[in-house]
Amino acid sequence: SGWQETVQPLNTEASCVCQTRVANPVNMPLIECEFVDICGVCEGPGPVYSCGCEEMPEWACDCDGNQLDVLGVCGGGCLGDYDGDGVCDEYVPGACNNLDMWEYYDYSYDLIEIGGRCWFKQDLRTEFYANGDSIPHGLSDQDWIDLGEEHIGGWSVFDGYEYNGNVYNWYTTIDERGVCPFGWHVPSRDEFKDLAESAALIAGSGGTPVSNNHAHYTSIVLRDDLTWGGSNLLGYSGTKTLNRSTGGTFSSYNYAINLAWTSDLQSISAARVFRLDDDFDNGGLQLLYDHFEPKSEGLSVRCIKDQ
């Protein structure tokens, strides 16, 4: 009379057994608003924005949708302050709006219209950003190196070359405070390319582009330095100066008349440069608008008017 294990038979008719459970319905109590605010929200807080029930659009300066005019007046009707004196000017057609000079931090820059754009005729000499902040200067070689490593703008000039303009590292040109006056900017590579194409048009048969980033001109020159017998027909008036290397020393590139920063990046460590060279082999001037140099070098800056 020993113990015997009982084995339940397998369910061979179905693989599983399902059970259905019905939940009782949930009754949500009906809540009636004691009041609806002016914005149509049940028991809402009412207007919470400066424009009432809606936020002010990012592009507007008031709740009526007005925008700032060129003098900073909300809803004002001034379309142009072409000489930068804070007084509204009547519109004058032309890239330079009939102006021939621009005053910027105690220096007067001649203006020239080239290819439908308005350019400074001289390289920049400012010691300040457009907002009035001072740009670091008076730098030792190590100070200059440190600024480049920290991606901070700075300027220098070699004794005797002050008239030809200061040299700036590339970080100065992209600083949000602006190195050119308000309403002006450091030209892009494409804007310098347009300048080169304008020179080709003036040169006529004497100017023939030879590649996508070089152009040779036998009868055109963009500088007014008397040591080079050019005509300066374009009016750009490029001048030679001494550049400051990434290590802080001043030097002049072989054959290079002028190197000016563009606003375009080339790589992590370099930016694009507009370069004017004496082109002895072709008897004229060579323009390179796709050249590049290390961002920490000190090169010239030229300003072009916003469109």
Side-chain angles (χ1 to χ4, degrees):
S1 62
W3 176 81
Q4 183 176 359
E5 180 180 6
T6 302
V7 179
Q8 298 292 332
L10 295 175
N11 180 359
T12 59
E13 298 180 356
S15 60
C16 65
V17 177
C18 298
Q19 181 181 16
T20 301
R21 179 176 296 171
V22 178
N24 294 326
V26 178
N27 295 319
M28 298 296 293
L30 181 62
I31 300 177
E32 295 183 359
C33 290
E34 294 184 4
F35 68 92
V36 176
D37 71 7
I38 194 172
C39 299
V41 178
C42 178
E43 298 185 9
V48 294
Y49 302 115
S50 58
C51 291
C53 299
E54 298 180 358
E55 291 184 277
M56 185 185 301
E58 293 183 0
W59 48 266
C61 58
D62 62 17
C63 297
D64 295 326
N66 288 311
Q67 301 182 49
L68 296 174
D69 69 3
V70 297
L71 295 181
V73 178
C74 186
C78 183
L79 300 178
D81 176 18
Y82 305 111
D83 54 6
D85 63 357
V87 178
C88 190
D89 299 322
E90 182 179 353
Y91 174 73
V92 178
C96 294
N97 304 115
N98 207 30
L99 299 174
D100 56 12
M101 184 271 294
W102 194 275
E103 189 81 14
Y104 185 48
Y105 288 124
D106 298 327
Y107 292 106
S108 296
Y109 299 89
D110 296 325
L111 305 182
I112 183 69
E113 183 174 339
I114 304 173
R117 301 299 299 274
C118 189
W119 291 80
F120 276 14
K121 287 188 68 173
Q122 292 87 26
D123 290 333
L124 200 60
R125 300 176 65 182
T126 184
E127 303 172 12
F128 305 93
Y129 289 110
N131 72 343
D133 290 348
S134 179
I135 304 172
H137 65 285
L139 307 165
S140 66
D141 290 354
Q142 187 59 52
D143 290 337
W144 184 259
I145 295 171
D146 293 342
L147 282 184
E149 292 178 347
E150 296 170 10
H151 299 177
I152 297 174
W155 71 269
S156 293
V157 65
F158 191 77
D159 291 345
Y161 284 81
E162 293 85 352
Y163 176 78
N164 292 350
N166 300 333
V167 294
Y168 305 82
N169 65 22
W170 188 72
Y171 302 108
T172 315
T173 71
I174 61 168
D175 194 289
E176 62 183 7
R177 292 169 287 185
V179 68
C180 289
F182 292 119
W184 298 75
H185 63 274
V186 177
S188 67
R189 181 259 186 187
D190 286 340
E191 287 169 327
F192 271 120
K193 180 181 178 182
D194 291 341
L195 177 78
E197 291 175 350
S198 297
L201 291 175
I202 295 177
S205 60
T208 304
V210 294
S211 72
N212 65 348
N213 69 338
H214 294 68
H216 294 274
Y217 306 104
T218 58
S219 61
I220 261 304
V221 68
L222 307 185
R223 63 185 286 203
D224 57 6
D225 191 328
L226 296 179
T227 62
W228 203 95
S231 60
N232 194 31
L233 292 177
L234 194 66
Y236 181 79
S237 303
T239 54
K240 189 178 184 66
T241 191
L242 295 188
N243 307 304
R244 193 164 192 183
S245 71
T246 57
T249 59
F250 287 90
S251 62
S252 177
Y253 290 84
N254 290 334
Y255 306 122
I257 294 173
N258 180 269
L259 289 88
W261 286 120
T262 79
S263 58
D264 288 358
L265 183 71
Q266 169 68 23
S267 65
I268 294 177
S269 60
R272 286 180 169 174
V273 170
F274 181 69
R275 176 171 170 171
L276 306 181
D277 284 357
D278 278 324
D279 185 15
F280 298 112
D281 293 338
N282 290 274
L285 187 75
Q286 179 177 233
L287 313 180
L288 296 87
Y289 47 81
D290 213 12
H291 190 67
F292 58 89
E293 295 289 346
K295 299 175 184 177
S296 298
E297 286 200 20
L299 305 179
S300 300
V301 169
R302 187 67 68 98
C303 296
I304 186 173
K305 198 173 188 296
D306 297 349
Q307 283 188 315

